[in-house]
């Protein structure tokens, strides 16, 4: 789309989505009602109905130019997967072909289950797996250089029914929280709401760099982050990039991203420069968790695809550049009924909103009991570089409630009753021409991992390249457990109001240790968290075991979200993933140092040595500066070579170990330390060697020249 081309967002929004409006228009009324019953009430879809839906979906997609369809799914390798089939059938006698798409083809696909991460659930010889149509997330047509393809969101499971993807457990967890939330609101007299759904609004942070410069950095190509790189004279310390004017090249990219996303029904709303140079953010309006997860995958894919068209490269790694802020993904989570009631809306007088207070204290209980599990849901190799720095929440899980709700809970804990709520005051700017308005009743806290932000919780730990499915699965399930436990009590009581009051006070009192409204970056908080008994899990390797503890297995099996075998498989997959990613980074460092950096430094020292000799022979000039530089560079070159040999040795040792926790720990404690020891002299060399001889673009080239 050219810069001068204008369009109406309302007209293009969702035009490539097989949406409810499209289904109403194209499907017979009886078929439409049956499909809506399947979507809303979980009824079984019969093949006759599926055939009609498939036919109309195909006709609609062909009208959009589609020639192929694909079951679009999310295996456990961190990206989406798809296999394309055309709509053509066997040729007829006259040599022409028919275009067809059956209900069976819509409902089921058969990718190779042994070729995706399975953690032992599938052996190489056990290849069969299934993709199953998720009718709760609308199909869409993706248009790109390959033409137009009908994409059908699906779950992915093994021949034995084990979940091999992100979507299956997410859908299970959504059913769990729906069942328990309905129990809860029924007890409060709500007989009209039929469904309770978790909603998610995932904010997406990312870096954009010039693609030509990116292609000169093997570390970015192989690992997504810079393994070497000295800081430029200016980083983010002037705080002039955040919310700054968006550069024209980036604005043109953002415009095309928005258009593509809007056509796919993604409600891309907010865009701005983030804190670090070359860093940006895109945020949608919230949607049902399942759809929001699918949409976020589309956001990441679209960012990368459109960037390429503009001669740019999108970096989704959590920490592509050392020394400046990394990228995360804030999971804004709430629970809403089908008739629009937000269970996390405190109202104007939270102290009087008893249902809200019970929901709130249930969440406090859930997060406190399962803090380790929630932390694990954000565990990622790249996130280890980010969590705890002054750009992201600390690795200690805590809940920020703000002054208003904290005051209400303090009243409940100390006196057994809450009689008032803090009100927002008028904002006084001292300028008469500025409009007057009321402030919120509470401030925000960007250092909190799990912060209440008005009518939702913002889980800020998730890594920028991760799916928000994992954190949503955990939140849905742990809150379902807390709801279930209070319902078990309330359904047996003769004095409902007193029982509710007692449960709110009990939860608030027993789990107040998880509430922290202060500075999560401070050393004092680390010490305080230890006193409170809160876990401080600083690495992915130490977070993984939370997945299959007895507590976690009991939780997930009770609500049919994961089986023990599925949890064990994910533990195995994550250890293996950690080891593989660090191994790739180590080998990339070895390759770059051996083939690019050391030869470049040798060339520089050779030229410098020749210069010293030439000057000395020509005249009796002072060459002490050249000699000092030559001595320093040569010393650092020797340090580089020594560190390189060590890294080669420990990487070979790590690769020879059996996959599992011991190997992952070795990669973290030994290999990564060796990587740091190699980077140190190389980054110092970058500051000394002639820039024209340095073999790759610098940080300054990458983050300031876009």
């Amino acid at each position: 789309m050219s810069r001068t081309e204008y369009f109406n967002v309302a007209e293009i929004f969702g035009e490539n989505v097989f949406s409810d409006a499209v289904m109403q228009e194209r499907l017979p009324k009886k078929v439409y009602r049956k499909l809506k019953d399947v979507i809303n009430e979980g009824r079984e879809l019969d093949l006759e109905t599926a055939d009609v839906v498939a036919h109309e979906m195909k006709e609609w997609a062909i009208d959009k130019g589609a020639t192929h369809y694909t079951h679009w799914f999310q295996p456990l390798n961190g990206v989406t997967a798809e296999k394309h089939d055309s709509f053509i059938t066997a040729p007829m006698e006259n040599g022409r072909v028919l275009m067809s798409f059956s209900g069976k083809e819509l409902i089921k696909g058969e990718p190779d289950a042994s070729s995706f991460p399975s953690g032992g659930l599938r052996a190489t010889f056990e290849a069969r797996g299934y993709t199953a149509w998720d009718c709760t997330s609308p199909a869409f047509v993706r248009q790109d250089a390959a033409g137009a393809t009908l994409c059908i969101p699906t779950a992915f499971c093994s021949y034995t029914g084990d979940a091999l993807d992100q979507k299956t457990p997410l859908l299970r967890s959504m059913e769990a929280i729906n069942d328990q939330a309905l129990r809860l609101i029924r007890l409060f007299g709500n007989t009209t709401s039929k469904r309770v759904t978790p909603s998610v609004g995932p904010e997406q942070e990312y870096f954009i760099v010039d693609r030509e410069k990116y292609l000169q950095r093997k570390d970015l190509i192989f690992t997504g982050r810079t393994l070497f790189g000295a800081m430029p004279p200016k980083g983010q310390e002037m705080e002039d990039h955040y919310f700054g004017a968006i550069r024209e090249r980036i604005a043109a990219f953002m415009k095309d991203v928005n258009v593509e996303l809007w056509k796919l029904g993604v409600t891309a709303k907010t865009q701005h420069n983030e804190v670090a140079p070359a860093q940006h953010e895109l945020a949608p309006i919230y949607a049902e968790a399942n759809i929001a997860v699918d949409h976020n995958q589309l956001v990441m894919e679209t960012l990368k695809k459109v960037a390429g068209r503009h001669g740019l490269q999108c970096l989704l790694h959590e920490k592509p550049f050392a020394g400046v802020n990394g990228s995360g993904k804030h999971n804004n989570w709430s629970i809403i009924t089908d008739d629009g009631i937000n269970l996390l809306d405190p109202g104007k007088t939270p102290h009087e909103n008893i249902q809200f207070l019970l929901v709130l204290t249930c969440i406090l209980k859930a997060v406190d009991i399962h803090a380790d599990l929630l932390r694990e849901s954000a565990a990622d190799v790249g996130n280890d570089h980010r969590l705890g720095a002054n750009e992201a929440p600390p690795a200690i899980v805590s809940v920020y409630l703000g002054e208003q709700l904290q005051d209400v809970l303090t009243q409940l804990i100390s006196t057994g009753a809450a009689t008032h709520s803090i009100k927002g005051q008028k904002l006084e700017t001292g300028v008469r021409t500025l409009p007057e308005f009321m402030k919120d009743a509470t401030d925000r806290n960007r250092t909190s991992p799990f912060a209440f932000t008005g009518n939702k919780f913002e889980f800020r730990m998730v890594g920028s390249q991760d799916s928000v499915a994992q954190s949503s699965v955990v939140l849905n399930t742990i809150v379902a457990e807390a709801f279930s436990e209070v319902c078990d009590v309330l359904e047996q009581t003769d004095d409902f109001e007193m029982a509710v009051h007692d449960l709110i006070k009990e939860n608030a009192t027993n789990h107040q240790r998880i509430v922290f409204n202060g500075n999560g970056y401070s050393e004092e908080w680390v010490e305080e968290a230890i006193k409170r008994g809160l876990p401080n899990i600083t690495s992915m390797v130490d977070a993984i075991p939370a997945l299959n503890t007895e507590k976690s297995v009991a939780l997930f099996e009770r609500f049919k979200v994961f089986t023990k075998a599925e949890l064990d498989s994910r533990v195995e997959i994550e250890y293996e993933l950690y080891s593989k990613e660090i191994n790739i980074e180590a080998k990339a460092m070895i390759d770059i140092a051996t083939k690019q950096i050391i030869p470049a430094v040798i060339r520089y020292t050779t030229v410098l040595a020749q210069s010293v000799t030439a000057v000395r022979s020509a005249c009796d000039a002072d060459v002490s500066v050249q000699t000092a530089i030559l001595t320093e560079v040569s010393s650092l070159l020797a340090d580089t070579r020594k560190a390189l040999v060590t890294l080669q040795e420990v990487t070979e040792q790590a690769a020879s170990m059996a996959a599992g926790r011991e190997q992952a720990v070795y990669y973290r404690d030994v290999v990564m330390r060796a990587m740091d020891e190699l980077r140190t002299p190389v980054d110092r060399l970058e500051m000394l060697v002639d820039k024209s001889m340095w073999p790759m673009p610098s940080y300054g080239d990458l983050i300031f020249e876009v």
Side-chain angles (χ1 to χ4, degrees):
M1 179 175 291
S2 69
R3 295 177 186 173
T4 57
E5 184 178 348
Y6 297 97
F7 56 90
N8 186 321
V9 177
E11 290 180 0
I12 68 170
F13 187 83
E15 69 176 32
N16 288 341
V17 182
F18 195 67
S19 62
D20 186 75
V22 173
M23 290 192 294
Q24 275 189 290
E25 178 185 337
R26 285 183 168 267
L27 297 177
K29 289 183 179 180
K30 181 179 179 182
V31 171
Y32 171 76
R33 284 196 300 268
K34 280 189 176 181
L35 183 58
K36 292 298 289 185
D37 286 343
V38 172
I39 295 171
N40 295 330
E41 301 176 21
R43 297 185 184 180
E44 188 173 343
L45 181 67
D46 62 89
L47 193 57
E48 181 181 355
T49 301
D51 278 333
V52 177
V53 175
H55 174 77
E56 292 301 326
M57 190 183 289
K58 179 224 23 172
E59 291 297 307
W60 169 81
I62 289 175
D63 289 345
K64 296 286 181 183
T67 57
H68 289 69
Y69 70 91
T70 180
H71 277 194
W72 184 74
F73 60 104
Q74 301 167 37
L76 300 174
N77 57 7
V79 294
T80 57
E82 53 196 65
K83 179 185 73 171
H84 295 197
D85 287 293
S86 71
F87 290 118
I88 66 172
T89 58
M92 297 185 294
E93 290 183 1
N94 61 6
R96 300 176 67 85
V97 294
L98 292 174
M99 305 287 275
S100 69
F101 184 48
S102 69
K104 183 179 179 181
E105 290 170 316
L106 169 63
I107 291 172
K108 187 188 76 170
E110 290 193 37
D112 186 343
S114 65
S115 298
F116 292 99
S118 70
L121 291 176
R122 294 269 83 188
T124 303
F125 68 91
E126 296 173 321
R128 194 179 296 279
Y130 296 112
T131 48
W133 177 36
D134 173 20
C135 59
T136 66
S137 183
F140 56 92
V141 167
R142 185 180 58 208
Q143 296 171 328
D144 51 30
T149 305
L150 172 63
C151 298
I152 302 158
T154 57
F156 177 45
C157 61
S158 73
Y159 183 71
T160 54
D162 295 309
L164 298 176
D165 66 340
Q166 305 283 11
K167 173 162 287 202
T168 303
L170 176 63
L171 293 172
R172 294 171 181 171
S173 72
M174 291 174 68
E175 290 185 8
I177 196 169
N178 172 64
D179 292 343
Q180 302 309 318
L182 282 176
R183 282 179 70 192
L184 186 66
I185 63 176
R186 292 286 184 265
L187 290 166
F188 279 89
N190 182 331
T191 59
T192 55
S193 299
K194 297 179 180 179
R195 189 162 52 100
V196 180
T197 306
S199 293
V200 171
E203 304 168 36
Q204 179 69 56
E205 295 174 344
Y206 60 95
F207 279 81
I208 289 290
V209 298
D210 183 84
R211 182 162 174 80
E212 285 190 10
K213 295 184 177 73
Y214 162 85
L215 291 173
Q216 297 174 54
R217 298 277 320 208
K218 285 187 177 181
D219 47 4
L220 284 178
I221 292 171
F222 291 135
T223 74
R225 75 178 182 103
T226 52
L227 302 171
F228 300 105
M231 279 297 294
K234 177 187 176 184
Q236 64 188 51
E237 63 272 15
M238 296 303 294
E239 300 175 333
D240 54 351
H241 189 259
Y242 189 54
F243 279 24
I246 300 172
R247 284 170 286 184
E248 189 167 308
R249 188 179 182 190
I250 300 300
F253 153 76
M254 288 180 169
K255 176 184 176 182
D256 287 353
V257 167
N258 285 332
V259 170
E260 291 230 1
L261 292 176
W262 289 333
K263 288 181 178 180
L264 293 171
V266 180
T267 54
K269 182 173 178 64
T270 303
Q271 60 188 33
H272 60 83
N273 290 351
E274 255 298 335
V275 173
Q279 187 185 32
H280 310 277
E281 180 176 301
L282 183 155
I285 300 171
Y286 70 88
E288 290 188 6
N290 177 34
I291 295 173
V293 167
D294 285 356
H295 281 181
N296 184 245
Q297 292 291 340
L298 288 174
V299 166
M300 291 190 286
E301 291 176 7
T302 303
L303 287 171
K304 290 186 285 188
K305 179 175 64 176
V306 174
R309 296 177 191 162
H310 287 257
L312 301 168
Q313 185 70 34
C314 176
L315 304 178
L316 292 174
H317 194 283
E318 287 76 16
K319 194 74 169 180
F321 303 102
V324 298
N325 274 20
S327 298
K329 184 179 297 177
H330 302 168
N331 186 352
N332 293 283
W333 181 88
S334 58
I335 31 182
I336 302 174
T337 67
D338 58 322
D339 48 358
I341 302 170
N342 185 346
L343 302 189
L344 287 177
D345 185 355
K348 294 182 179 180
T349 54
H351 67 285
E352 297 176 338
N353 191 338
I354 303 304
Q355 178 179 293
F356 165 76
L357 290 175
L358 183 58
V359 169
L360 177 69
T361 56
C362 280
I363 293 173
L364 294 182
K365 177 182 179 180
V367 174
D368 185 21
I369 291 174
H370 298 289
D372 58 340
L373 198 55
L374 194 56
R375 166 66 181 88
E376 200 287 328
S377 74
D380 175 80
V381 183
N383 233 6
D384 281 1
H385 299 284
R386 168 181 166 265
L387 292 181
N390 286 5
E391 62 193 78
I396 305 164
V397 174
S398 64
V399 178
Y400 171 78
L401 293 179
E403 293 84 354
Q404 184 186 59
L405 294 184
Q406 179 63 66
D407 179 66
V408 170
L409 290 187
T410 299
Q411 294 176 59
L412 287 167
I413 293 169
S414 59
T415 67
T419 58
H420 63 274
S421 300
I422 295 174
K423 302 291 184 182
Q425 304 297 315
K426 184 184 295 184
L427 180 70
E428 297 182 2
T429 64
V431 181
R432 283 178 295 177
T433 55
L434 292 179
E436 294 182 350
F437 58 86
M438 299 300 292
K439 298 187 294 184
D440 292 314
T442 185
D443 204 345
R444 293 180 63 192
N445 187 332
R446 69 184 298 271
T447 73
S448 175
F450 197 67
F452 187 76
T453 54
N455 61 359
K456 58 183 171 37
F457 275 100
E458 182 181 26
F459 184 49
R460 298 170 55 89
M461 273 189 166
V462 183
S464 53
Q465 62 186 331
D466 269 0
S467 168
V468 289
Q470 299 103 304
S471 56
S472 298
V473 167
V474 171
L475 282 169
N476 295 344
T477 311
I478 64 177
V479 173
E481 179 188 54
F483 284 174
S484 175
E485 289 173 352
V486 297
C487 288
D488 288 344
V489 174
L490 295 176
E491 287 168 351
Q492 300 299 320
T493 186
D494 294 326
D495 191 339
F496 181 78
E497 290 187 7
M498 181 57 68
V500 170
H501 173 274
D502 291 345
L503 284 168
I504 293 172
K505 182 177 180 181
E506 177 184 324
N507 284 344
T509 303
N510 293 347
H511 303 286
Q512 59 181 312
R513 69 171 186 168
I514 199 69
V515 179
F516 179 67
N517 290 337
N519 181 8
Y521 293 162
S522 68
E523 287 299 319
E524 291 79 8
W525 168 232
V526 176
E527 296 171 5
E528 172 65 20
I530 293 173
K531 294 177 184 177
R532 295 189 185 191
L534 299 177
N536 184 6
I537 305 171
T538 57
S539 78
M540 177 181 177
V541 172
D542 289 336
I544 293 171
L547 267 177
N548 63 349
T549 61
E550 289 185 11
K551 178 186 67 171
S552 295
V553 172
L555 166 76
F556 286 122
E557 288 195 332
R558 176 183 174 189
F559 293 99
K560 297 182 172 64
V561 175
F562 287 116
T563 64
K564 185 178 187 305
E566 288 170 335
L567 291 169
D568 289 342
S569 73
R570 278 158 174 75
V571 168
E572 183 177 325
I573 289 168
E574 293 201 13
Y575 279 134
E576 187 175 359
L577 173 67
Y578 185 91
S579 296
K580 285 180 176 178
E581 288 201 22
I582 302 300
N583 185 61
I584 291 170
E585 290 186 353
K587 291 197 297 183
M589 289 190 84
I590 293 167
D591 183 75
I592 294 166
T594 302
K595 298 177 181 177
Q596 292 183 277
I597 292 169
I598 290 178
V601 177
I602 290 173
R603 283 194 297 273
Y604 176 68
T605 55
T606 300
V607 171
L608 190 58
Q610 290 171 345
S611 174
V612 170
T613 302
V615 171
R616 278 178 177 164
S617 62
C619 60
D620 191 22
D622 183 358
V623 291
S624 60
V625 173
Q626 296 96 313
T627 303
I629 294 174
L630 180 60
T631 300
E632 184 178 2
V633 170
S634 297
S635 176
L636 288 170
L637 181 59
D639 292 343
T640 299
R641 172 61 183 167
K642 181 180 178 182
L644 174 61
V645 171
T646 300
L647 180 58
Q648 288 172 322
E649 292 172 349
V650 298
T651 302
E652 289 175 4
Q653 174 62 28
S656 69
M657 299 171 67
R661 178 170 176 78
E662 184 179 352
Q663 184 190 47
V665 169
Y666 188 88
Y667 270 109
R668 181 194 64 187
D669 295 346
V670 180
V671 175
M672 288 195 70
R673 183 170 64 247
M675 291 166 62
D676 291 339
E677 289 172 354
L678 175 57
R679 178 169 185 159
T680 299
V682 170
D683 287 358
R684 289 179 61 191
L685 282 167
E686 184 181 348
M687 303 300 293
L688 295 170
V689 173
D690 187 327
K691 180 173 174 58
S692 66
M693 292 187 179
W694 195 250
M696 63 189 75
S698 67
Y699 271 24
D701 298 331
L702 287 164
I703 64 178
F704 286 105
E705 298 179 14
V706 183

